[in-house]
Amino acid sequence: MSGVQHREVTADDDGMRLDRWFARHFPQLGFARLQKLIRNGEVKVDKAKVQTSTRISEGQTVRIPPIDDPETVRPFKVNEEDVRYLKDLILYEDDDLYVFNKPHGLAVQGGSGTTRHLDGLLKNLPNKAGEAPRLVHRLDRDTSGCLVVAKTAAAAKHFGSVFRSRSARKIYWAIVAGNPTPRQGEISCFLAKQVTEDGEQMVVVRNGAKGAVHSSTYYSTTDTASRRFAWVTLKPVTGRTHQLRVHMAQLGTPIIDDPRYFNIENWQAAPGLGEGLHLHARRIALPLRNGKKIDISAPLPPHMRQSFDALGFDPDRYDAQNADPEDGA
């Protein structure tokens, strides 16, 4: 690639870190080389100097220097083992998108100390134009289940709009400590981000507080195991960071094995439970570009299946496609 390029940031790249933007659009450019180009002032955003961590916004223009010299080019070689791994996770696929069953413990994007993540693995499934598939929404690292990934820029724009307009119907399953009171209802509050030694934490704040955003979730108790545990179905209306985890803790019934928001002192778990956050993106329904709709369900991850068995919950009690418990509420 010769000559200087100028590219406008699109809506589906809005808010992305600059280094991740380059990894998506110029996977042949090594990170060390990118750092050097940035230090030398050869990469700019709206004519201003930047850092690898700079976040870019829709409509901004990125200056890309010539990157065709042998020192720069790092041909990307598809890892067949990663291809097989990803293909085993596919719940649904068409010309526009994948729906993956994201495993518990796999990060969606990279971060401090995170080298293996879904966004990086997706480079192994390039489309016909050689572009990596694009994330259109997120799940926490320890949340399993349905994750939508677009195959092209046009598909990413469509599905990004679907999620922003809340046209996607998302259903989560969780096991919580205690029994929610009342058994079903809506949790509505304002949340703000708080930085701690362990990373970002969301806290409930008053309306008007700095950084406050509104959050809303509908919940329904599907089954209980005495008064100590409940299987809860959750329908988020908004999509805030850690929203479901904070909401269940706010209700007084935190999600089992939540490392950040489980707040019951002297808690003793029941024998036989699986280990790990008990939150699963069970089902997603959304409109396709051709006007049709898909409705996809993901089986429980092993640690939650173990806990369902230990507590006597039957995940097959409800047909996930037609009769989730909240549908009759």
Side-chain angles (χ1 to χ4, degrees):
M1 186 181 303
S2 59
V4 173
Q5 294 186 73
H6 293 88
R7 282 206 191 181
E8 186 173 315
V9 179
T10 60
D12 51 303
D13 290 337
D14 184 61
M16 183 178 290
R17 280 175 53 122
L18 186 63
D19 54 354
R20 290 179 186 158
W21 185 87
F22 268 94
R24 168 178 287 180
H25 296 283
F26 301 93
Q28 76 275 24
L29 181 64
F31 182 71
R33 179 62 176 166
L34 173 62
Q35 285 183 310
K36 184 176 180 180
L37 292 172
I38 288 176
R39 283 197 305 269
N40 292 343
E42 296 180 66
V43 174
K44 294 182 179 180
V45 175
D46 286 350
K47 300 182 180 180
K49 290 186 176 182
V50 289
Q51 298 178 329
T52 54
S53 59
T54 296
R55 292 196 179 272
I56 54 179
S57 302
E58 179 184 1
Q60 288 185 316
T61 300
V62 181
R63 179 190 188 274
I64 303 109
I67 54 172
D68 58 353
D69 61 276
E71 180 186 355
T72 299
V73 176
R74 183 189 61 185
F76 179 76
K77 185 178 180 181
V78 168
N79 184 316
E80 294 298 336
E81 185 177 338
D82 287 339
V83 171
R84 289 191 294 272
Y85 174 76
L86 289 171
K87 288 188 173 181
D88 284 343
L89 302 180
I90 295 173
L91 297 168
Y92 173 86
E93 178 185 2
D94 62 25
D95 290 341
D96 276 350
L97 81 156
Y98 298 103
V99 180
F100 290 104
N101 183 15
K102 189 192 83 67
H104 161 80
L106 176 65
V108 171
Q109 288 183 299
S112 178
T114 302
T115 56
R116 183 176 173 83
H117 49 86
L118 187 64
D119 197 31
L121 292 172
L122 288 172
K123 295 176 186 177
N124 293 284
L125 293 178
N127 62 21
K128 293 176 182 177
E131 301 168 328
R134 304 170 181 222
L135 300 167
V136 292
H137 71 124
R138 312 287 187 270
L139 292 177
D140 293 343
R141 182 188 65 186
D142 291 328
T143 302
S144 57
C146 295
L147 184 75
V148 178
V149 174
K151 290 186 175 182
T152 66
K157 183 176 181 180
H158 168 78
F159 292 112
S161 176
V162 165
F163 280 95
R164 285 192 297 273
S165 66
R166 302 175 188 172
S167 301
R169 183 174 189 241
K170 296 178 283 186
I171 305 291
Y172 290 74
W173 283 358
I175 298 180
V176 302
N179 295 175
T181 304
R183 286 182 60 87
Q184 65 181 42
E186 179 187 9
I187 305 164
S188 177
C189 60
F190 287 84
L191 303 176
K193 200 170 290 184
Q194 187 180 75
V195 179
T196 70
E197 292 181 357
D198 297 325
E200 291 180 350
Q201 187 114 347
M202 300 299 287
V203 295
V204 177
V205 296
R206 59 176 175 78
N207 185 9
K210 183 179 179 181
V213 290
H214 180 251
S215 62
S216 173
T217 300
Y218 290 102
Y219 74 92
S220 176
T221 304
T222 305
D223 202 355
T224 60
S226 70
R227 298 185 61 82
R228 294 198 64 209
F229 300 95
W231 163 15
V232 178
T233 297
L234 301 162
K235 292 196 296 183
V237 178
T238 54
R240 311 304 182 192
T241 301
H242 299 170
Q243 175 177 310
L244 301 181
R245 298 162 63 181
V246 178
H247 281 182
M248 295 317 294
Q250 179 73 3
L251 196 64
T253 52
I255 297 174
I256 298 298
D257 278 349
D258 189 329
R260 295 193 184 189
Y261 302 103
F262 194 92
N263 50 12
I264 299 178
E265 293 184 7
N266 302 318
W267 169 258
Q268 291 185 340
L273 297 186
E275 295 183 1
L277 180 70
H278 283 58
L279 179 61
H280 178 63
R282 167 64 172 173
R283 177 180 173 191
I284 192 159
L286 70 166
L288 303 177
R289 285 203 293 166
N290 60 13
K292 296 181 180 179
K293 292 186 177 181
I294 58 169
D295 192 335
I296 308 299
S297 298
L300 286 170
H303 74 288
M304 284 188 67
R305 184 79 198 209
Q306 179 182 334
S307 295
F308 267 57
D309 290 344
L311 296 172
F313 296 153
D314 181 4
D316 301 318
R317 176 181 170 188
Y318 298 96
D319 184 294
Q321 295 299 323
N322 301 311
D324 268 332
E326 77 282 352
D327 291 338

